[in-house]
Amino acid sequence: MQLINRISNRLFKIIYWPICRAYARHLGDKPADAILRTLCTLQFWKENSYWPNFLHPCSFSEKLWHRMLYERDPLFTLISDKLHVRDYIARKVGNEYLIPILWSGDKPENIPFDELPLKFVIKTNHGCGYNIIVNDKKHLKHSKAQRQLKKWMDVNFAQDKYLGIAWGYKNIKPTIFIESFIEENGKPPLDYKFICFSGRVELITLHHDRFGEHRVSTLNRNFEPYKFRFPLDDGVGEYLRPANFAEMVKVAELLAESFDFMRVDLYNIDDRIYFGELTPYPGGISINFKPKNLDYALGEKWKNK
């Protein structure tokens, strides 16, 4: 069975995904038509084990795909841009929640490595997973990092990745930026992901050691355990409710208030809250739910505008 799944996944990536991307590219900024909608049903069925209704969605998964296929709100471009979203955050809640930026530009060869501190994070603004975490710049190979950045800069994350339907990334001008390194006891800090519907926090997924032994706990808005599992590792461990948790909820709800659904990622280090990102398409084309009935329960909370 595992061999069959590996072969199936490989065929999807080398044959099916490029066909979907090519057709999505043909449509440009237009919402999906019947052809793209039909093409995408196969991937949805593969991940969720049921056939979707993208035109009249009920479950959370269906509504997420509906957003990717049909919604073309320019605000999605702004919030998906990891650099320019900072202006939105500053207007909504203030500059004090932003991680300091040390440098930005569009040419990897211009990065002033000698002027940077020992630790920092190199990112690009136009996709997901485009991060180079530098724990000690003495061990960083500049040429290797620059080659990787050039490769990322040549990618349009919406058009060139997966099914090509994450429209919010399509019109972002690629830029490199370097953030200050934030840490907690020498490790990446806990990542609080607030699941918000109509500007109200309903769930939080708490991520520990994301770049090592990744563990996830799911909590309700009162920081109590919630019997729900996102498509991530099973939650283990216990975590103390931060003293300023009420402020975290307030910040998340202010940032999410303009959207019928939004995931707001925050950090909390020594009682100081930092903004991580706004995520309109969490999980993208690979999200699935266990147990299934909660897919529909969360779908009921998502009241489309």
Side-chain angles (χ1 to χ4, degrees), residues 174-197:
T175 306
I176 304 163
F177 66 105
I178 300 177
E179 283 185 345
S180 296
F181 191 98
I182 61 171
E183 59 185 326
E184 196 170 35
N185 299 321
K187 294 183 178 181
L190 290 173
D191 190 353
Y192 298 78
K193 299 182 184 295
F194 292 82
I195 312 301
C196 304
F197 297 95

Side-chain angles (χ1 to χ4, degrees), residues 135-269:
N135 290 291
D136 186 342
K137 73 175 184 179
K138 290 182 292 185
H139 302 299
L140 177 67
K141 295 182 179 180
H142 298 181
S143 59
K144 182 179 180 181
Q146 289 167 342
R147 285 195 302 271
Q148 182 62 74
L149 289 166
K150 286 179 180 178
K151 182 183 294 187
W152 287 337
M153 294 285 280
D154 289 337
V155 174
N156 184 303
F157 191 81
Q159 295 182 317
D160 302 332
K161 304 291 285 186
Y162 306 106
L163 300 188
I165 60 174
W167 177 84
Y169 296 100
K170 178 178 178 291
N171 298 307
I172 298 174
K173 179 183 177 182
T175 306
I176 304 163
F177 66 105
I178 300 177
E179 283 185 345
S180 296
F181 191 98
I182 61 171
E183 59 185 326
E184 196 170 35
N185 299 321
K187 294 183 178 181
L190 290 173
D191 190 353
Y192 298 78
K193 299 182 184 295
F194 292 82
I195 312 301
C196 304
F197 297 95
S198 301
R200 185 179 191 274
V201 171
E202 295 289 347
L203 293 173
I204 305 113
T205 56
L206 183 56
H207 297 246
H208 173 79
D209 198 10
R210 289 171 298 136
F211 306 106
E213 188 181 345
H214 190 185
R215 293 174 291 170
V216 181
S217 293
T218 306
L219 309 166
N220 65 18
R221 64 177 285 114
N222 298 315
F223 212 80
E224 300 164 339
Y226 194 86
K227 292 184 179 180
F228 181 84
R229 188 155 64 84
F230 278 89
L232 297 165
D233 298 346
D234 290 324
V236 293
E238 296 182 359
Y239 304 96
L240 295 176
R241 173 180 168 134
N244 59 349
F245 181 70
E247 182 185 357
M248 296 185 77
V249 171
K250 180 180 178 180
V251 169
E253 293 184 338
L254 285 171
L255 294 178
E257 65 181 356
S258 299
F259 305 95
D260 46 24
F261 163 76
M262 187 58 59
R263 196 189 80 193
V264 182
D265 297 359
L266 301 174
Y267 304 106
N268 196 334
I269 302 172

Side-chain angles (χ1 to χ4, degrees), residues 267-280:
Y267 304 106
N268 196 334
I269 302 172
D270 296 329
D271 293 328
R272 179 168 181 181
I273 300 167
Y274 289 99
F275 168 74
E277 64 179 289
L278 295 178
T279 307

Side-chain angles (χ1 to χ4, degrees), residues 40-222:
C40 287
T41 57
L42 185 58
Q43 175 71 27
F44 186 97
W45 173 83
K46 181 177 180 294
E47 294 295 335
N48 296 278
S49 302
Y50 67 92
W51 294 106
N53 186 338
F54 292 141
L55 289 177
H56 303 287
C58 293
S59 69
F60 177 89
S61 300
E62 288 174 324
K63 291 183 177 183
L64 182 68
W65 280 70
H66 180 277
R67 171 178 279 185
M68 291 188 287
L69 289 168
Y70 297 108
E71 295 186 29
R72 299 294 180 260
D73 186 344
L75 191 52
F76 287 158
T77 300
L78 174 63
I79 65 167
S80 298
D81 185 322
K82 291 178 172 54
L83 191 56
H84 288 94
V85 69
R86 295 170 61 88
D87 297 330
Y88 180 82
I89 302 307
R91 291 196 305 270
K92 297 291 287 187
V93 296
N95 286 308
E96 62 268 26
Y97 296 100
L98 296 172
I99 298 172
I101 286 186
L102 306 174
W103 180 87
S104 65
D106 58 6
K107 292 182 172 54
E109 60 270 23
N110 290 344
I111 296 176
F113 289 107
D114 291 341
E115 300 173 14
L116 294 172
L118 188 66
K119 296 183 177 184
F120 50 88
V121 181
I122 309 174
K123 298 182 176 182
T124 70
N125 67 324
H126 67 300
C128 296
Y130 294 165
N131 310 314
I132 300 174
I133 299 174
V134 181
N135 290 291
D136 186 342
K137 73 175 184 179
K138 290 182 292 185
H139 302 299
L140 177 67
K141 295 182 179 180
H142 298 181
S143 59
K144 182 179 180 181
Q146 289 167 342
R147 285 195 302 271
Q148 182 62 74
L149 289 166
K150 286 179 180 178
K151 182 183 294 187
W152 287 337
M153 294 285 280
D154 289 337
V155 174
N156 184 303
F157 191 81
Q159 295 182 317
D160 302 332
K161 304 291 285 186
Y162 306 106
L163 300 188
I165 60 174
W167 177 84
Y169 296 100
K170 178 178 178 291
N171 298 307
I172 298 174
K173 179 183 177 182
T175 306
I176 304 163
F177 66 105
I178 300 177
E179 283 185 345
S180 296
F181 191 98
I182 61 171
E183 59 185 326
E184 196 170 35
N185 299 321
K187 294 183 178 181
L190 290 173
D191 190 353
Y192 298 78
K193 299 182 184 295
F194 292 82
I195 312 301
C196 304
F197 297 95
S198 301
R200 185 179 191 274
V201 171
E202 295 289 347
L203 293 173
I204 305 113
T205 56
L206 183 56
H207 297 246
H208 173 79
D209 198 10
R210 289 171 298 136
F211 306 106
E213 188 181 345
H214 190 185
R215 293 174 291 170
V216 181
S217 293
T218 306
L219 309 166
N220 65 18
R221 64 177 285 114
N222 298 315

